[in-house]
Amino acid sequence: MDRKHRFNFETQVIHEGYDAERFKGSLAPPIFQTSTFTFDTAQQGEKRFSGEEEGYIYSRLGNPTVKMLEERMAALEKGEAALAFGSGMAAVSAVLFALTKTGDHILCSQGVYGCTFGLLEMMEEKFQISHDFSAMESKQQLLDEIKPETVCIYVETPINPTMKLVDLKMVAEAAKEKGIPVVVDNTFCSPYLQNPIELGCDIVIHSATKYIGGHGDVVAGLVIGSKEFLDKVSITTQKDIGGIISPFDAWLLLRGLKTLAVRIDRHCDNAERLASYLLAHPKVEKVYFPGDSNNADFEIAQKQMRRPGGMISFTLKGDKETAQEFMNRLNLIKIAVSLGDAETLIQHPATMTHAVVPKETREKMGIEDTLLRLSVGLESVEDIRDDLSQALEGV
């Protein structure tokens, strides 16, 4: 597709990166389910391995179906290039390994996904790459917390699972003063709701398992950024560690992307109505939702998110057992740790996604024993609300 003619988002998710004329008029992108590619001559093989000639060699190093996905995601996130991985954590680890060496330091948002926390702990234990968590509430605070050995700032916003927001433009300004990149996990928003690169950040990561795929049938990760940086990742941590995506999984993501805009709008519509319901319920203690005008981060949401998203976290009055009893009483809503699926899902972060985080650290992150994370699905909002209502009545 001619990059000079930039279509709107809803068109790009369907067409970007694919030209049917190149593939015998096939409306759906073909799946190049091959491990390797043949060369016309020995000399051609030599040129491709040396980089003198472009072309495919081996699917760990590049694949046409995967390339279509990468081109589409680069356009959607306003980046120069993208790389696809076999999981969100393969993407996170490839980026952090590419940016760091022994003795370096990473400054992180106050909360991160449990497995990201585990990776950071492993990097510190094995490779002496340290990290600190920051509330990131002001530019001056960030400037004071950035050390001489800090090589990047890693941000989740909204933060999983507390839904706390970080002002990305402010973080980017502080990072640029220090000459270090900002890495943003944009999984909760998808490129439809938030574009960190347009706000001055450098690298965007997605667990494509979530909203990008949208149907709970694929595990994958994506990284978007400058071509220079991603070329470096491609020939080092992606190639040598090998956390690549399969052609079929890339095809599933291309298919899922076609409905991203309409799906996210429905997720948001449902979440807005359910957040209002939970805010008014007497058995709900607190609700964390970026679209709540009383939320402490509401102004940040208005500034950098197009809509509040489909994720809600809330605490119940009671204790851990109260929260678990409530979950067990649900019928339509499924207990599962993923998000962004057509089905509405609920999980208990303290004992599930963030169980690896020590209790004291969890509490500093705001992850209480009564905190629940709700991924609002695409079902009838009345049916979701009724299921929440009957479960709340029983606790």
Side-chain angles (χ1 to χ4, degrees), residues 45 82 97 113 121 167 223 227 240 257 264 294 311 318 324 377:
F97 288 160
Y113 172 48
E121 291 285 298
D167 186 331
V223 178
K227 185 178 185 304
D240 296 334
L257 274 171
I264 295 291
N294 293 316
M311 301 296 299
Q324 291 178 328

Side-chain angles (χ1 to χ4, degrees), residues 61-95:
L61 311 177
N63 176 282
T65 311
V66 174
K67 185 66 174 176
M68 295 173 203
L69 171 65
E70 292 170 343
E71 289 185 359
R72 190 165 297 180
M73 281 303 303
L76 296 178
E77 277 290 12
K78 323 297 183 186
E80 292 179 358
L83 288 176
F85 292 82
S87 70
M89 284 311 302
V92 173
S93 58
V95 167

Side-chain angles (χ1 to χ4, degrees), residues 37-219:
F37 299 84
T38 62
F39 309 125
D40 293 336
T41 65
Q43 289 81 2
Q44 184 185 63
E46 179 184 10
K47 287 180 180 179
R48 289 192 182 177
F49 269 91
S50 68
E52 294 178 47
E53 178 183 304
E54 289 189 3
Y56 295 102
I57 298 171
Y58 186 68
S59 277
R60 178 159 52 84
L61 311 177
N63 176 282
T65 311
V66 174
K67 185 66 174 176
M68 295 173 203
L69 171 65
E70 292 170 343
E71 289 185 359
R72 190 165 297 180
M73 281 303 303
L76 296 178
E77 277 290 12
K78 323 297 183 186
E80 292 179 358
L83 288 176
F85 292 82
S87 70
M89 284 311 302
V92 173
S93 58
V95 167
L96 292 183
F97 288 160
L99 289 172
T100 59
K101 63 183 185 305
T102 298
D104 286 341
H105 172 258
I106 303 168
L107 186 61
C108 303
S109 52
Q110 187 62 57
V112 291
Y113 172 48
C115 290
T116 304
F117 178 88
L119 174 67
L120 292 166
E121 291 285 298
M122 181 177 68
M123 291 173 70
E124 184 154 357
E125 178 185 348
K126 290 183 177 293
F127 310 121
Q128 291 77 57
I129 299 167
S130 62
H131 63 274
D132 286 304
F133 294 103
S134 168
M136 298 187 178
E137 292 177 343
S138 72
K139 181 179 176 181
Q140 189 56 54
Q141 179 195 23
L142 273 171
L143 292 172
D144 291 342
E145 291 174 338
I146 294 171
K147 302 177 180 181
E149 61 270 26
T150 304
V151 294
C152 70
I153 299 176
Y154 186 94
V155 182
E156 283 184 13
T157 183
I159 292 173
N160 181 10
T162 59
M163 303 303 294
K164 179 174 173 54
L165 303 188
V166 176
D167 186 331
L168 291 177
K169 190 173 181 181
M170 177 270 290
V171 173
E173 288 173 355
K176 279 178 172 50
E177 285 193 23
K178 296 292 187 175
I180 58 175
V182 178
V183 181
V184 180
D185 183 335
N186 201 30
T187 297
F188 271 32
C189 284
S190 89
Y192 185 55
L193 298 184
Q194 183 171 269
N195 295 119
I197 290 173
E198 284 198 321
L199 297 168
C201 303
D202 303 280
I203 301 159
V204 175
I205 295 173
H206 286 276
S207 171
T209 310
K210 314 305 193 295
Y211 287 109
I212 303 301
H215 293 78
D217 53 11
V218 61
V219 174

